[in-house]
Amino acid sequence: MRLVVVSAGLSVPSSTRLLADRLAAATVRESAARVEVVELRDLAVEIAHNFTNGFPGRALGSALDAVTAADGLIVVTPVFSASYSGLFKSFFDVLDKDALAGKPVLIAATGGSSRHSLVTEHALRPLFAYLRAVVVPTAVYAASEDWGAEGLAERIDRAAGELAALMTGLAAATAGTATAGVGAAPVPRAPVPTGTAPTGTAPAGTAPTGTVPVRAVPARSASGGGFEVVPFEQQLAALRP
């Protein structure tokens, strides 16, 4: 499985990238997924150009392809003005509108104060719900005072476990669908009998009182032309064992 991490941190080192790495490591312990990291800081210029000319540069194109092909996503943004950063939103604005449909996503954010802890619920979760992603129940917010404190590690493990379970379940379902029916014998079809409708039967598509309706089926007559009308009860009889 392929896990892609989108980090919108701007500084080096970045608490946003640190949280992204911890979430990725916890998810890998549960799913053994291969991890690829997309640093939006390195794509800022190409994202801006994409808005003006409509075409992604080479690095941005590779990042968009990676996100589209991922089996699961971890997205982490710093908080700016009580919401996700403009760079973070811009990246998902240039992503194809159907790229995240049905894809498991773990949302997370970092900030300087715990007062912004609900940013994951009032900003991030609605965004990815609009993109039709499957957002895991547990979101992770890390304020400055959370690093090294109790509770953060537990939230990371819980969210990572939920993401890994979704990724594993969807991958198994996809594999099962792809292999269903391989090597199985074809199911024989019951022959449709041909013949002439009983005397007095109404034309195809009508049913006189007290008679069983009949319908036309595309069975060629012995002479090779036209269609024959087969009573519906005869067709049912042919399907019975």
Side-chain angles (χ1 to χ4, degrees), residues 159-180:
E162 293 168 354
L163 177 62
L166 275 175
M167 291 173 60
T168 302
L170 289 176
T174 302
T177 301
T179 58

Side-chain angles (χ1 to χ4, degrees), residues 26-179:
T27 304
V28 168
R29 288 195 298 268
E30 299 288 340
S31 64
R34 295 179 292 107
V35 178
E36 181 176 348
V37 178
V38 174
E39 280 279 10
L40 299 187
R41 179 173 56 87
D42 300 330
L43 303 175
V45 173
E46 290 192 17
I47 291 173
H49 287 168
N50 196 162
F51 278 112
T52 58
N53 60 29
F55 297 97
R58 180 175 300 177
L60 177 59
S62 296
L64 296 174
D65 290 342
V67 169
T68 302
D71 295 298
L73 289 180
I74 295 173
V75 297
V76 191
T77 178
V79 174
F80 283 84
S81 301
S83 186
Y84 38 66
S85 71
L87 179 61
F88 181 86
K89 179 62 162 56
S90 296
F91 176 76
F92 290 101
D93 283 343
V94 299
L95 185 69
D96 184 86
K97 63 182 179 62
D98 297 321
L100 299 188
K103 197 181 299 294
V105 176
L106 191 166
I107 55 175
T110 58
S113 169
S114 59
R115 290 177 296 176
H116 294 302
S117 60
L118 289 179
V119 69
T120 55
E121 305 306 319
H122 71 69
L124 285 168
R125 196 176 295 276
L127 170 63
F128 288 96
Y130 173 79
L131 295 173
R132 293 177 291 150
V134 181
V135 185
V136 303
T138 301
V140 180
Y141 176 82
S144 299
E145 61 266 26
D146 290 327
W147 298 102
E150 294 183 0
L152 179 60
E154 289 75 11
R155 295 199 303 276
I156 288 174
D157 288 340
R158 183 169 63 250
E162 293 168 354
L163 177 62
L166 275 175
M167 291 173 60
T168 302
L170 289 176
T174 302
T177 301
T179 58

